[in-house]
Amino acid sequence: MLNTNFTKIFGVQHPIVQGGMQWVGRAPLVAAVANAGALGFITALTQPTPEDLTKEIAKCRNLTDKPFGVNLTILPALKPPPYAEYRHAIIEAGIKIVETAGYNPQEHMPHFKENGVKIIHKCTAVRHAVKAEKIGVDAISIDGFECAGHPGEDDIPGLILIPAAADKVKIPMIASGGFGDGRGLVAALALGADGINMGTRFMATEEAQIHDNIKRRMVENDERSTQLIFRTLRNTARVARNKISEEVVEIEKGGAEISDLAPLVSGQRGKIVYEEGDPDYGIWSAGMIQGLIHDVPTVDELVSRIVREAEAIISDRLGGSMGSGRVAAE
Ligand code: NAD
């Protein structure tokens, strides 16, 4: 058993989180994560309306009696979603853990706090983590440059970002970006985190509702199979490298605006990739951890394997147990 400040405060068995993933964070995956003793998040904006989110939460409750949360990501969007209405749906459904990401969650904090909701804020910079702690979030998910989706604009990998954040933040901290096995979990704990967040690794599991072709492509891909798009718009996103991502970067070289890219990059097109299984049809998110993904296990097999590997590393290679306290640079 790996007990950390995170497992204690959030009431989960293992220090492993399945964070928000557009089109992927749905009830069957999230319930499987909860049943495996980790903490899963339904992705709010994957549901077309707040009413659909309410139904998805109910569906998840039918599949597990363990805790799970909802992710609310606030990023530039072609058609901005009604964030406050999603927040109301989350609270009214009685959800007690929310992962916020993409933008400062301040405007949503009072309503969540009044309703006893714990907030894990995912961010990509130490200064944002410090700010989030100051405005009262309960935990930080610090997301390194290796991650899928939006790594920010500072390009700081986890090896530096995690301990730099651990030196400044006192609340529990989850390490995100580039995690997928027991080695990563032990490394995250050594760097000062209280657990790991995984997205891409959970996509390549039996319960993730995405086409088998995409899972197969993730197994075939290596650590070089991602590409950064939207650099020129300061909305950088790490995605699986494919025909469309190459085309987007080529257009960006000529000084593109979002309207020039919209037909290629729309989330709706990415959704079809997952549904129909053509990896070159649209943009889909994936991180560098693809280089360490070699199979498509069940969620339960994955979580128990990671914990088993981590425990073996701690006892056989490090010669003992790892406490939950942080080792801070003096
Ligand atoms: P979309 O179709 O609205 O946009 C496609 C892409 O273009 C996205 O990456 C978006 O960030 C980017 N974009 C849109 N307008 C932009 C602008 N003005 N400047 C720069 N970049 C711009 O995206 P979608 O994939 O359908 O996402 C819709 C919603 O889902 C967004 O509100 C976003 O916050 C959210 N989302 C959530 C997650 C998650 O894991 N929770 C991941 C991605 C997106």
Side-chain angles (χ1 to χ4, degrees):
M1 286 286 280
L2 292 166
N3 294 316
T4 68
N5 283 339
F6 172 75
T7 58
K8 275 180 237 158
I9 292 176
F10 288 87
V12 289
Q13 198 182 346
H14 304 305
I16 298 176
V17 174
Q18 166 258 307
M21 284 178 277
Q22 184 70 322
W23 313 128
V24 184
R26 299 171 189 270
L29 175 63
V30 174
V33 170
N35 289 332
L39 181 60
F41 286 89
I42 290 178
T43 300
L45 302 177
T46 291
Q47 299 304 319
T49 66
E51 295 73 38
D52 292 304
L53 175 60
T54 306
K55 288 184 199 149
E56 196 69 9
I57 293 169
K59 195 168 155 191
C60 198
R61 287 217 173 97
N62 281 334
L63 299 171
T64 186
D65 54 10
K66 301 264 180 62
F68 64 89
V70 173
N71 160 283
L72 186 62
T73 296
I74 303 161
L75 286 169
L78 296 175
K79 193 167 157 261
Y83 295 109
E85 289 176 32
Y86 279 95
R87 185 187 71 227
H88 277 274
I90 292 167
I91 288 169
E92 278 155 29
I95 288 290
K96 294 297 174 203
I97 310 176
V98 164
E99 179 190 64
T100 53
Y103 193 69
N104 181 336
Q106 193 148 21
E107 82 171 268
H108 302 283
M109 292 283 296
H111 196 193
F112 281 138
K113 286 271 152 190
E114 280 158 27
N115 288 278
V117 177
K118 287 197 175 76
I119 296 162
I120 303 178
H121 182 61
K122 188 195 272 182
C123 49
T124 57
V126 175
R127 63 191 182 281
H128 298 156
V130 169
K131 178 86 182 287
E133 181 175 50
K134 205 164 157 196
I135 67 170
V137 307
D138 300 278
I140 297 294
S141 188
I142 192 82
D143 206 7
F145 188 52
E146 303 88 334
C147 71
H150 295 267
E153 309 303 324
D154 293 345
D155 304 357
I156 310 294
L159 197 56
I160 304 299
L161 187 66
I162 298 159
D167 283 345
K168 294 273 171 63
V169 165
K170 294 194 177 51
I171 54 178
M173 201 180 73
I174 296 297
S176 186
F179 294 100
D181 62 21
R183 296 172 296 185
L185 174 52
V186 177
L189 297 176
L191 293 171
D194 302 289
I196 52 170
N197 173 71
M198 308 191 301
T200 304
R201 177 62 270 202
F202 276 119
M203 285 167 68
T205 59
E206 281 186 18
E207 291 90 341
Q209 290 176 299
I210 59 180
H211 199 285
D212 282 347
N213 288 354
I214 303 302
K215 296 181 190 177
R216 207 169 304 125
R217 175 58 70 96
M218 293 174 74
V219 171
E220 287 160 10
N221 276 349
D222 67 16
E223 61 279 8
R224 298 168 67 243
S225 311
T226 71
Q227 192 164 18
L228 297 171
I229 62 169
F230 299 149
R231 288 244 90 163
T232 58
L233 302 177
R234 292 192 62 76
N235 183 31
T236 300
R238 184 182 298 285
V239 302
R241 182 182 285 272
N242 66 7
K243 284 191 187 133
I244 306 280
S245 69
E246 304 267 12
E247 201 178 332
V248 168
V249 169
E250 212 40 54
I251 298 172
E252 281 191 80
K253 283 182 191 157
E257 294 184 8
I258 186 67
S259 52
D260 304 319
L261 304 173
L264 290 171
V265 302
S266 89
Q268 287 305 321
R269 203 163 156 171
K271 182 171 179 244
I272 293 171
V273 169
Y274 295 134
E275 287 169 357
E276 298 185 2
D278 175 358
D280 284 309
Y281 183 76
I283 291 295
W284 52 285
S285 289
M288 289 178 167
I289 191 65
Q290 284 181 116
L292 300 180
I293 295 179
H294 307 303
D295 63 355
V296 182
T298 65
V299 165
D300 192 61
E301 279 164 14
L302 176 65
V303 169
S304 46
R305 183 207 296 169
I306 292 173
V307 173
R308 208 170 47 242
E309 277 173 6
E311 287 173 342
I313 294 169
I314 292 166
S315 69
D316 303 347
R317 299 191 59 189
L318 305 180
S321 67
M322 271 173 101
S324 60
R326 297 228 181 115
V327 182
E330 291 300 326

